[in-house]
Amino acid sequence: MEDLKDPTAERQRLRSRLVDLLNSYASEANHIGHAFAGRNQLHGPDLHALLAVMHAERAGAPLTPGRLGEVMGLSSGATTAMIDRLERAGHLRRLRESNDRRVVHLRYGDTGMALAQAFFTPLAPRTDEVMARFDVAELQVVERFVQGMVDALTGYRDELRS
């Protein structure tokens, strides 16, 4: 049991292995995203925009066009062109949902949602099978870890944009 005698070595091994696994996961997710984009005539940034809109909706904080541009690191003109393209294709909707009619929120369009569900639904049983191997407490640790890694990457990305 070498690992128990030298926790520093085991920590370093795990750090290295987890970074490799996260990189592999990101790469595979990117391949799947490119396949979805290619099958639906989307540009790479379009897919990232749709994901940002979807995540914001799930969090109960829909994005405005300006906030989407910030998240994507795009100019207002490039953001508008992208939103126009996605709206024409039925992937996004612009909605005025607040008392302030100047505020526009972006929502996933029905067409976009149907395409995403058709494409990604076959993946769900595979991810469910993996998650079923872990109890709730273990999944909570994984959630905390992955959220911390996302926060670290987001912070670094923001520094790079500054």
Side-chain angles (χ1 to χ4, degrees):
M1 287 281 172
E2 283 179 40
D3 297 338
L4 296 177
K5 292 180 185 176
D6 188 0
T8 303
E10 177 61 3
R11 186 173 213 36
Q12 186 55 40
R13 184 195 72 76
L14 284 167
R15 183 204 176 283
S16 180
R17 180 71 176 132
L18 289 169
V19 168
D20 287 348
L21 288 169
L22 287 170
N23 286 333
S24 293
Y25 180 89
S27 179
E28 293 304 324
N30 201 24
H31 288 304
I32 291 170
H34 283 297
F36 176 76
R39 289 183 183 189
N40 295 289
Q41 295 77 47
L42 296 172
H43 300 108
D46 294 350
L47 178 61
H48 292 288
L50 290 172
L51 288 171
V53 168
M54 180 184 67
H55 291 283
E57 272 195 65
R58 283 186 184 170
L63 294 177
T64 62
R67 181 69 186 124
L68 178 62
E70 289 173 20
V71 168
M72 300 288 298
L74 298 173
S75 69
S76 62
T79 302
T80 299
M82 180 177 58
I83 292 170
D84 288 345
R85 184 172 58 250
L86 291 170
E87 190 174 39
R88 276 192 307 275
H91 295 295
L92 281 184
R93 295 176 292 138
R94 288 179 173 110
L95 298 174
R96 287 178 169 76
E97 303 171 311
S98 72
N99 292 335
D100 185 346
R101 301 296 294 159
R102 296 170 295 177
V103 176
V104 174
H105 289 119
L106 301 172
R107 297 285 188 171
Y108 227 90
D110 293 336
T111 301
M113 186 60 73
L115 288 171
Q117 285 178 337
F119 184 86
F120 290 104
T121 294
L123 180 59
R126 296 168 192 229
T127 59
D128 289 346
E129 180 184 320
V130 172
M131 288 189 192
R133 298 178 201 155
F134 298 86
D135 65 31
V136 170
E138 290 171 317
L139 289 172
Q140 288 170 332
V141 170
V142 172
E143 176 188 34
R144 198 172 75 239
F145 172 78
V146 173
Q147 184 62 61
M149 296 303 281
V150 168
D151 292 346
L153 287 174
T154 302
Y156 185 56
R157 179 205 63 202
D158 291 346
E159 284 178 28
L160 294 172
R161 288 184 179 168
S162 300

